[in-house]
């Protein structure tokens, strides 16, 4: 079968399309014929050697959608999607014609949702759920600030927060980026507005109960300054500069809580359980998939160039590889 493959990390020059043996599923596993597989930023970091879990040689790819061709009898022939665990890091991932993974990861593709849309749902939604629900314990009636609101994880987080009954505040880089239609109740224009000042203005001086920071770096301290008393902040990413600083006295006087969430640490069982909890909402539209026009379909054979285009910022759409 054809697969993207790298024998060592450090450069995208190490990535190539190769003909490799089709994986053989082990006990408790399934073999999926991949119909679509999203490329996530962490897949690129994987090849570049920034994911310490990775062993080589390796086929990258965390998200997938396809049809089960081997495995438990009740699953064979079922269209499924999934993500998570060490897929693409310590076990071969989905950027191939076939992928073997634990059956626990599989969730039926929501009715009316294409393979391509299903392939981009997994990682953003498990990350948003793990951050807002598992870590921060977001409750109905609370206010949550989500940075990077219009991105894949940010958009998923908005859907999860709204479904929980929370009020959502979002950020954009400029006024032109504010969506015409959105459940976000208040926007902060980072081009012209101070984050903490605007958040307190939107909350009557109180601040946000929860801040979900998907950007990190210079945004980290600004997000802390936006927290209400005993507010909870969740970080999932870092800017190029890994180290951040903040006023420790302000932090403990506010009795702020800080959580880190790493989606790679979620097991196959955990990611499968999260997606099963959300799957009915994905089917009903509570957790909507991205618009079809927001997905760029690229043949698997052109996957190396797709990695380069994403890494160099030449692509704005969500890229999905099609074997």
């Amino acid at each position: 079968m054809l697969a993207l493959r790298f024998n060592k990390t450090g450069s995208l020059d190490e990535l190539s399309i190769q003909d490799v043996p089709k994986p053989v599923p082990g006990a408790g596993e399934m073999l999926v014929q991949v119909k679509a597989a999203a490329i996530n930023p962490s897949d690129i970091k994987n090849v570049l050697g920034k994911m310490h879990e990775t062993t080589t040689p390796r086929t990258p790819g965390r998200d997938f959608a396809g049809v089960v061709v081997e495995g438990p009898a009740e699953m064979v022939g079922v269209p499924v999607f999934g993500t998570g665990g060490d897929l693409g890091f310590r076990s071969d991932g989905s950027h191939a014609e076939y992928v073997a993974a634990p059956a626990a990861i599989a969730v039926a593709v929501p009715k009316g949702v294409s393979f391509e849309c299903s392939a981009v749902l997994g990682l953003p939604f498990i990350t948003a759920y793990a951050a807002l629900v598992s870590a921060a314990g977001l409750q109905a009636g609370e206010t949550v600030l989500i940075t990077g609101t219009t991105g894949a994880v940010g958009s998923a987080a908005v859907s999860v927060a709204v479904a929980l009954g929370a009020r959502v505040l979002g950020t954009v880089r400029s006024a032109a980026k504010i969506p015409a239609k959105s459940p976000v109740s208040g926007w902060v224009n980072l081009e012209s507005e101070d984050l903490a000042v605007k958040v307190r203005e939107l909350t009557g001086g109180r601040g946000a109960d929860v801040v979900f920071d998907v950007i990190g770096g210079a945004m980290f301290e600004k997000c802390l300054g936006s927290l209400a008393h005993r507010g909870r902040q969740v970080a999932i990413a870092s800017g190029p500069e890994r180290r951040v600083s903040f006023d420790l006295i302000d932090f403990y006087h506010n009795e702020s809580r800080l959580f880190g969430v790493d989606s790679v640490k979620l097991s196959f069982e955990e990611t499968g359980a999260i997606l099963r909890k959300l799957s009915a909402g994905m089917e009903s539209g509570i957790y909507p998939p991205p618009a079809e026009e927001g997905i760029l379909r690229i043949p698997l054979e052109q996957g190396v160039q797709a990695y380069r285009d994403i890494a160099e910022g030449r692509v704005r759409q969500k890229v999905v590889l099609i074997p």
Side-chain angles (χ1 to χ4, degrees):
M1 70 167 190
L2 293 180
L4 289 181
R5 198 80 173 160
F6 58 98
N7 294 321
K8 62 179 181 178
T9 63
S11 168
L12 292 183
D13 291 338
E14 305 298 337
L15 188 65
S16 64
I17 187 81
Q18 299 180 23
D19 193 355
V20 298
K22 185 167 66 174
V24 177
E29 290 190 331
M30 61 182 179
L31 181 66
V32 176
Q33 183 180 13
V34 178
K35 299 294 185 181
I39 301 180
N40 291 292
S42 53
D43 297 320
I44 295 168
K45 292 177 182 178
N46 191 12
V47 182
L48 294 176
K50 297 181 179 181
M51 310 296 286
H52 67 270
E53 298 89 353
T54 304
T55 57
T56 56
R58 185 63 56 223
T59 293
R62 303 177 70 183
D63 279 340
F64 68 88
V67 177
V68 179
V69 294
E70 292 182 39
E74 69 276 9
M75 295 182 67
V76 174
V78 176
V80 298
F81 75 111
T83 192
D86 62 6
L87 202 65
F89 302 109
R90 284 188 292 264
S91 62
D92 284 334
S94 60
H95 293 169
E97 293 181 303
Y98 292 87
V99 63
I105 199 177
V107 179
V109 169
K111 292 177 183 177
V113 180
S114 68
F115 281 120
E116 293 88 348
C117 284
S118 298
V120 305
L121 288 173
L123 187 57
F125 271 96
I126 66 162
T127 304
Y129 188 94
L132 295 180
V133 179
S134 303
L138 182 64
Q139 301 293 315
E142 291 190 314
T143 296
V144 57
L145 168 66
I146 299 170
T147 66
T149 321
T150 57
V153 175
S155 296
V158 169
S159 297
V160 171
V162 170
L164 289 171
R167 179 194 180 202
V168 180
L169 306 180
T171 67
V172 287
R173 294 184 182 275
S174 67
K177 300 291 186 181
I178 298 176
K181 293 180 62 177
S182 173
V184 174
S185 66
W187 291 97
V188 182
N189 177 3
L190 297 176
E191 183 179 53
S192 60
E193 296 173 322
D194 180 273
L195 181 66
V197 171
K198 185 63 177 180
V199 168
R200 295 199 181 277
E201 177 186 319
L202 292 169
T203 57
R206 185 173 182 277
D209 300 291
V210 172
V211 174
F212 181 26
D213 179 19
V214 308
I215 299 173
M219 288 294 292
F220 181 88
E221 186 173 13
K222 297 176 182 179
C223 287
L224 277 179
S226 304
L227 283 175
H229 178 231
R230 293 184 178 173
R232 295 95 72 196
Q233 180 163 320
V234 185
I236 66 163
S238 170
E241 175 52 59
R242 297 172 52 161
R243 302 189 71 84
V244 297
S245 62
F246 57 94
D247 190 313
L248 185 58
I249 293 178
D250 285 348
F251 177 82
Y252 71 71
H253 277 316
N254 196 55
E255 298 187 292
S256 301
R257 274 71 166 166
L258 182 61
F259 299 91
V261 169
D262 181 358
S263 62
V264 179
K265 300 298 191 300
L266 296 171
S267 68
F268 287 118
E269 291 76 16
E270 288 172 318
T271 58
I274 291 172
L275 291 182
R276 276 187 283 276
K277 288 178 182 177
L278 300 178
S279 61
M282 292 174 176
E283 198 165 290
S284 68
I286 294 175
Y287 307 116
E292 292 282 356
E293 59 268 23
I295 295 176
L296 181 60
R297 296 158 174 81
I298 300 291
L300 176 64
E301 293 85 346
Q302 298 174 22
V304 174
Q305 186 59 49
Y307 266 67
R308 293 187 184 281
D309 288 343
I310 296 170
E312 295 171 11
R314 291 195 293 265
V315 179
R316 296 302 177 191
Q317 294 164 289
K318 185 69 176 181
V319 175
V320 171
L321 298 179
I322 309 295

